[in-house]
Amino acid sequence: MGKSEKTTLGRSLVKHHNHMIQESKDKGKYYKNLQKKVLESVTEVSDIDAIIEQAEEAERLFAINHSNTTPLPINVDTQSSSSTIAAEEWREQQKIEEALHASSLQVPRRPPWTPEMSVEELDANEKQAFLNWRRMLVRLEENEKLVLTPFEKNLDIWRQLWRVLERSDLIVMVVDARDPLFYRCPDLEAYAREIDEHKKLMLLVNKADLLPPHVREKWAEYFRSNDILFVFWSAIAATAVLEGKVLKEQWRKPDNFHKTDDPDVVIYGRDELLCRLQSEAQEIVRARNSRAAVESQRENAVVGFVGYPNVGKSSTINALVGQKRTGVTSTPGKTKHFQTLIISDELMLCDCPGLVFPSFSSSRYEMITCGVLPIDRMTEHREAIQVVADKVPRHVIESVYNITLPKPKTYERQSRPPLAAELLRAYCASRGYVASSGLPDETKAARQILKDYIGGKLPHFAMPPGMTEEDNTGPETGSDSEEGSDDEEESEQVPGIDDVLEDLSSFDLANGLASTKKVRVKKETASHKQHKKPQRKKDRNWRVKNTEDGDGMPVVRVFQKPANTGPLTMR
């Protein structure tokens, strides 16, 4: 072998080595960018972002289906005809429209696929199906009587849900016990049945220790009447028992766990929940194996956990596994990818990232107070605090924070909830929260109150639909009814003009609108001093004149000698 041949071989090896390195770098950049795209959860975009995103998707899929790329109409008429309709009538019409279009609030379906499909074809089909789903929701938003809440707009996050639903036998939807229907998605069960008729969906009512036993009984009755499979559970309490800790929070009552004889109302423990999940999932597996071929049968059961962000999916899985296997934080959206955890040879758990499903009625501020949207992204803190003030009774707020809220004015409804400004100012005054400008730091106070509201320090709960106030015979509601009767008696009093003027002056002083100068009151003189000796006024016309003709100079009086008119003539 000559010298030239050795040089050629070495150069080819070096070139091949460099080519492999460059190819691996390109693959790394691709997967890194793909991972970054998956990690980002998008729930709110502006109108211009939505239009740009739609244009990009339409341009990308033009070669596949160019007939569906028509631009969405933009309504430039900002004035709505609803301004002349009363608020109650408008709300009734809105409820009718929501009931008519309730079936349109669907989870995006994954298009049919086969293992023989290429990655590019499968990706294009999924993007096309997701774009059609987004267009359907946009058409719903064109109806002025329908208001959609922020929902997940990232396709890669929905892909995680598709994978979990396909591989799970039992789908467990984790909801918050204080308002289960807000976190429940009825269409998710229908989608699971479309994938496989043997799949079941169970509601895991987490944070059930925050509910009194009589409220859990009402919810259990509602779930049974609607054929909903449910289980009451508390991930925080189960974790505390597992670690040998005692919950010190006063609002989490230990007697809530066993203060009932109904087995459906009892809050499950860790071992009880594992047995229940395994039995339900294995029953589904046996029903599927009895109809499937021998080659497609499997013995282990898979349980998938889905739901809104910050409802306790990861905390539940950590409590069931017995150790921390998934990240947990109060900020929604911690879990980014679905994770599979093997409990035993017969049971495997699958955790899905939190998803915000599309829904009607609830506002953006209500979603912040429910923990679905991050508190740090809150811009209008008073609107969110007003939701808290409307749901938590006045006396509960005062007892929890040890503060005194301003009472309603005499000309206001005495049973009204406290205003957000009143709650924030009272809280800032008690904690000493002052901003750099010298005003109360309402932003800091609002974040702390919202964290207490989400964490359970401020007790609150919703009752099942159709339940009247007479049915709620709990001890907490009894105090509300007594206060309400007293308030009604006070509201019957008609305020006078003096009360209104006094309230207005107090409002001016509280908001810094009144003048700081002290008003001097002229003292009344005695009757014997009313008649005084009249004094002669001094002549002060030599001072500066303030008349219109005056020039402002002092007047000086001098003796003037008569002018000389010549010699005197005698006649």
Side-chain angles (χ1 to χ4, degrees), residues 198-227:
H198 300 287
K199 292 182 184 291
K200 290 184 181 180
L201 189 139
M202 173 189 288
L203 281 187
L204 186 64
V205 188
N206 191 25
K207 306 177 185 179
D209 54 339
L210 297 176
L211 297 182
H214 70 279
V215 178
R216 293 204 308 271
E217 292 176 358
K218 294 298 180 181
W219 276 112
E221 181 182 354
Y222 174 80
F223 291 146
R224 285 193 295 260
S225 61
N226 290 273
D227 296 331

Coordinates of all heavy atoms in Angstrom, one line a residue, residues 198-227:
H198 N -65.2 -1.1 26.3 CA -65.0 -1.7 27.6 C -64.3 -0.7 28.6 O -64.3 -0.9 29.8 CB -64.1 -2.9 27.5 CG -64.6 -4.0 26.7 ND1 -65.7 -4.8 27.1 CD2 -64.3 -4.4 25.4 CE1 -66.0 -5.6 26.1 NE2 -65.1 -5.4 25.1
K199 N -63.8 0.5 28.1 CA -63.2 1.4 29.0 C -64.2 2.1 29.9 O -65.4 2.3 29.5 CB -62.5 2.5 28.2 CG -61.3 2.0 27.4 CD -60.6 3.1 26.7 CE -59.4 2.6 25.9 NZ -58.3 2.1 26.7
K200 N -63.8 2.4 31.1 CA -64.7 3.1 32.1 C -63.9 4.4 32.6 O -62.7 4.5 32.6 CB -65.0 2.2 33.3 CG -65.9 1.1 33.0 CD -66.3 0.3 34.2 CE -67.2 -0.8 33.9 NZ -67.5 -1.6 35.2
L201 N -64.8 5.3 33.1 CA -64.2 6.5 33.6 C -64.7 6.7 35.1 O -65.9 6.5 35.3 CB -64.6 7.8 32.8 CG -63.9 9.1 33.2 CD1 -63.5 9.9 31.9 CD2 -64.8 9.9 34.1
M202 N -63.8 6.9 36.0 CA -64.1 7.1 37.4 C -63.7 8.5 37.9 O -62.7 9.0 37.5 CB -63.4 6.1 38.2 CG -63.5 6.3 39.8 SD -62.4 5.2 40.7 CE -63.2 3.6 40.5
L203 N -64.6 9.1 38.7 CA -64.3 10.4 39.3 C -63.6 10.2 40.6 O -64.2 9.6 41.5 CB -65.6 11.2 39.5 CG -66.2 12.0 38.3 CD1 -67.3 12.8 38.8 CD2 -65.2 12.8 37.6
L204 N -62.4 10.7 40.7 CA -61.7 10.6 42.0 C -61.8 12.0 42.7 O -61.1 13.0 42.3 CB -60.2 10.3 41.8 CG -59.3 10.1 43.0 CD1 -59.8 8.9 43.8 CD2 -57.9 9.9 42.7
V205 N -62.7 12.1 43.6 CA -63.0 13.4 44.2 C -62.0 13.7 45.3 O -62.1 13.2 46.4 CB -64.4 13.3 44.9 CG1 -64.9 14.7 45.3 CG2 -65.5 12.8 43.8
N206 N -60.9 14.4 44.9 CA -59.8 14.7 45.8 C -60.1 15.9 46.7 O -61.1 16.6 46.4 CB -58.6 15.0 44.9 CG -57.3 15.1 45.7 OD1 -57.2 14.5 46.8 ND2 -56.3 15.8 45.3
K207 N -59.4 16.0 47.8 CA -59.6 17.0 48.8 C -60.9 16.9 49.5 O -61.6 17.9 49.8 CB -59.4 18.4 48.2 CG -58.0 18.6 47.5 CD -57.9 20.0 46.8 CE -56.7 20.1 46.0 NZ -56.5 21.4 45.4
A208 N -61.4 15.7 49.6 CA -62.7 15.5 50.2 C -62.7 15.8 51.7 O -63.8 15.9 52.3 CB -63.2 14.0 50.0
D209 N -61.5 15.8 52.3 CA -61.5 16.1 53.8 C -61.9 17.6 54.0 O -62.1 18.0 55.2 CB -60.2 15.8 54.4 CG -59.0 16.5 53.6 OD1 -59.3 16.9 52.4 OD2 -58.0 16.7 54.1
L210 N -62.0 18.4 53.0 CA -62.4 19.8 53.2 C -63.9 20.0 53.2 O -64.4 21.1 53.4 CB -61.8 20.7 52.0 CG -60.3 20.8 52.0 CD1 -59.8 21.6 50.8 CD2 -59.7 21.4 53.3
L211 N -64.6 18.9 52.9 CA -66.1 18.9 52.9 C -66.7 18.3 54.2 O -66.2 17.3 54.7 CB -66.6 18.1 51.7 CG -66.3 18.6 50.3 CD1 -67.0 17.7 49.3 CD2 -66.7 20.1 50.1
P212 N -67.7 18.9 54.8 CA -68.4 18.3 55.9 C -69.1 17.0 55.4 O -69.4 16.8 54.2 CB -69.4 19.3 56.3 CG -68.9 20.6 55.7 CD -68.2 20.2 54.5
P213 N -69.4 16.0 56.3 CA -70.0 14.8 55.9 C -71.3 14.9 55.3 O -71.6 14.2 54.3 CB -70.1 14.0 57.3 CG -69.0 14.6 58.2 CD -69.0 16.1 57.8
H214 N -72.2 15.9 55.7 CA -73.5 16.0 55.1 C -73.4 16.5 53.7 O -74.3 16.2 52.9 CB -74.3 17.0 56.0 CG -73.9 18.4 55.9 ND1 -72.9 18.9 56.7 CD2 -74.4 19.4 55.2 CE1 -72.8 20.2 56.4 NE2 -73.6 20.5 55.5
V215 N -72.3 17.3 53.4 CA -72.2 17.7 52.0 C -71.7 16.6 51.1 O -72.2 16.4 49.9 CB -71.1 18.9 51.9 CG1 -70.9 19.4 50.5 CG2 -71.6 20.1 52.8
R216 N -70.8 15.7 51.6 CA -70.4 14.5 50.9 C -71.6 13.6 50.6 O -71.7 13.0 49.6 CB -69.3 13.8 51.6 CG -68.0 14.6 51.7 CD -66.8 13.6 51.9 NE -67.0 12.7 53.0 CZ -66.7 12.9 54.2 NH1 -66.1 14.1 54.5 NH2 -66.8 12.0 55.2
E217 N -72.5 13.5 51.5 CA -73.7 12.7 51.3 C -74.6 13.2 50.2 O -75.1 12.4 49.4 CB -74.5 12.6 52.6 CG -73.9 11.9 53.8 CD -74.7 11.9 55.0 OE1 -75.7 12.6 55.0 OE2 -74.2 11.4 56.0
K218 N -74.7 14.5 50.1 CA -75.5 15.1 49.0 C -74.8 14.9 47.6 O -75.5 14.6 46.7 CB -75.6 16.6 49.2 CG -76.5 17.0 50.4 CD -77.9 16.4 50.3 CE -78.7 16.8 51.5 NZ -80.1 16.3 51.4
W219 N -73.5 15.0 47.6 CA -72.8 14.7 46.3 C -72.8 13.2 46.0 O -72.9 12.9 44.8 CB -71.3 15.2 46.4 CG -71.1 16.6 46.2 CD1 -70.8 17.6 47.1 CD2 -71.3 17.3 44.9 NE1 -70.7 18.8 46.4 CE2 -71.0 18.7 45.1 CE3 -71.7 16.9 43.6 CZ2 -71.1 19.6 44.1 CZ3 -71.8 17.8 42.6 CH2 -71.5 19.2 42.8
A220 N -72.7 12.4 47.0 CA -72.8 10.9 46.7 C -74.2 10.6 46.1 O -74.4 9.8 45.2 CB -72.6 10.1 47.9
E221 N -75.2 11.2 46.7 CA -76.6 11.0 46.1 C -76.7 11.5 44.7 O -77.3 10.9 43.8 CB -77.6 11.7 47.0 CG -79.0 11.6 46.6 CD -80.0 12.3 47.5 OE1 -79.5 12.9 48.6 OE2 -81.2 12.4 47.2
Y222 N -76.1 12.7 44.4 CA -76.1 13.2 43.0 C -75.4 12.3 42.1 O -75.9 12.0 40.9 CB -75.5 14.6 43.0 CG -75.4 15.2 41.6 CD1 -76.5 15.8 41.0 CD2 -74.2 15.2 41.0 CE1 -76.4 16.3 39.7 CE2 -74.0 15.7 39.7 CZ -75.1 16.3 39.1 OH -75.0 16.8 37.8
F223 N -74.2 11.8 42.4 CA -73.4 10.9 41.6 C -74.2 9.6 41.3 O -74.2 9.1 40.2 CB -72.1 10.7 42.2 CG -71.2 11.9 42.2 CD1 -70.3 12.0 43.3 CD2 -71.2 12.8 41.2 CE1 -69.4 13.1 43.3 CE2 -70.4 13.9 41.3 CZ -69.5 14.1 42.3
R224 N -74.8 9.0 42.3 CA -75.5 7.8 42.1 C -76.7 8.0 41.2 O -77.0 7.1 40.4 CB -75.9 7.2 43.5 CG -74.8 6.6 44.3 CD -75.4 5.8 45.5 NE -76.0 6.6 46.4 CZ -75.5 7.1 47.6 NH1 -74.3 6.7 47.9 NH2 -76.2 7.8 48.4
S225 N -77.4 9.1 41.4 CA -78.6 9.3 40.5 C -78.2 9.5 39.1 O -79.1 9.3 38.2 CB -79.4 10.5 41.0 OG -78.6 11.7 41.0
N226 N -77.0 10.0 38.8 CA -76.5 10.2 37.4 C -75.6 9.1 36.9 O -75.0 9.3 35.8 CB -75.8 11.5 37.3 CG -76.8 12.7 37.5 OD1 -77.4 13.2 36.5 ND2 -76.9 13.2 38.7
D227 N -75.5 8.0 37.6 CA -74.7 6.8 37.2 C -73.3 7.2 36.9 O -72.7 6.8 35.9 CB -75.3 6.2 35.9 CG -76.7 5.6 36.2 OD1 -77.0 5.2 37.3 OD2 -77.5 5.6 35.2

